[in-house]
Amino acid sequence: MEEIRIFAPATIANVSCGFDILGLCLDTVGDEMVVRKVKEKGIKITKIIGQDLPFETLNNVAGVAGLALLENIDIDIDFGFEIEIYKNIKPGSGIGSSAASSAGAVFAINELLGKPFSANELIFFAMQGEKLASGSAHADNVAPALLGGFTLVRSYDPLEVIKIDSPSELYATVIHPQIEVKTADARSVLKQQVSLNKMVVQMGNLGGLISGLYTSNYDLISRSLHDEIIEPDRSILIPEFNEVKTSAIAAGALGAGISGSGPSIFALCKGEASAQKVAEAMSLVYKNVGIDYDVHVSKINQQGIRILKDIKKTIENIGD
Ligand code: HSE
């Protein structure tokens, strides 16, 4: 294979009670990337459509993640890669924009090399892109992008990521008020110490959520979607956060919270009809106060990044 076209999905990190360790993969929103082998060694970003992002390999998350992979190959390769990125996910939206590019780059390069690396290794390389983007090498967006479904980072050192089963009827609604919140800024407002009481509540909810996901116990999922630690400090960065969250739950969502580092707000729902109703309720809050937004309803994407067949289509669809 000389060239590959992929869909690199958006993701929701934290999922209320799993700061930096829990994430899920979306289906209906994501970037496309084309990666091809070229004579020149190394990695070149040759095209970025849809967003204004750096082309220099060392300043681009896809470039840095790809280089982390190439540095770990134990055979000598006499070719390099060029990467085209067609962005639909807005940077600073809270649905894993940098993760999609980082994970997409390492997935595609690994495919073009004949898959020498395991999924866990790819997660590690993609985390280097996240480090460039936010100063922290968190895996809770890149892991669900690469593995699909819900993922839990059981340990960062050594890295161990577990894919979590989830009910087939589970849907996510995610609304993005059109402001940008940089992950680094959203991390800088967090306290570095957590009280023992809060830790007990958060651990109970995380365990409950994982158990509810495995057993399709929607009531348990609903009771567990609660963030004792991060949400109180970060929600002030998000316009109308409490109103949007309350409206989502009143409209039937199992629970709602900040998507990743925000400003997007997510809700989990049982069934697509419920998720659509919740999308309308959340949208209404922003409509009423005149804030522009994007809203997405998506099944949980169990596959993660996928290979697309027709390379030309990306170029036609997203514009050139
Ligand atoms: N866990 C990370 C954070 C996700 O909340 O900062 C960033 O998308």
Side-chain angles (χ1 to χ4, degrees), residues 83-225:
I83 302 179
E84 298 176 0
I85 308 172
Y86 299 83
K87 286 225 66 87
N88 283 316
I89 314 172
K90 294 188 178 118
S93 59
I95 52 170
S97 177
S98 52
S101 299
S102 306
V106 299
F107 174 92
I109 293 172
N110 193 47
E111 291 287 323
L112 293 175
L113 289 171
K115 298 197 207 178
F117 294 107
S118 69
N120 238 37
E121 288 169 318
L122 294 184
I123 291 168
F124 178 78
F125 303 142
M127 283 163 62
Q128 310 317 309
E130 291 291 67
K131 194 169 176 188
L132 174 71
S134 70
S136 96
H138 54 271
D140 51 342
N141 291 106
V142 294
L146 281 159
L147 301 182
F150 276 77
T151 58
L152 175 78
V153 184
R154 206 280 305 159
S155 158
Y156 272 99
D157 189 16
L159 184 65
E160 182 182 343
V161 179
I162 302 162
K163 187 167 174 180
I164 307 289
D165 285 357
S166 57
S168 57
E169 272 188 284
L170 197 64
Y171 276 75
T173 302
V174 59
I175 191 161
H176 172 213
Q178 301 290 287
I179 57 162
E180 188 182 339
V181 172
K182 291 200 165 65
T183 298
D185 295 338
R187 293 181 83 84
S188 72
V189 303
L190 300 179
K191 298 186 189 80
Q192 294 303 307
Q193 307 289 329
V194 175
S195 76
L196 204 53
N197 281 348
K198 288 191 174 178
M199 185 204 65
V200 170
V201 175
Q202 196 90 342
M203 284 204 305
N205 282 320
L206 181 61
L209 179 57
I210 305 269
S211 173
L213 289 170
Y214 268 113
T215 56
S216 300
N217 183 337
Y218 290 97
D219 289 338
L220 180 56
I221 292 172
S222 179
R223 286 198 298 283
S224 306
L225 280 170

Side-chain angles (χ1 to χ4, degrees), residues 4-19:
I4 188 171
R5 171 181 168 233
I6 58 160
F7 171 73
T11 45
I12 295 174
N14 301 338
V15 201
S16 293
C17 48
F19 178 69

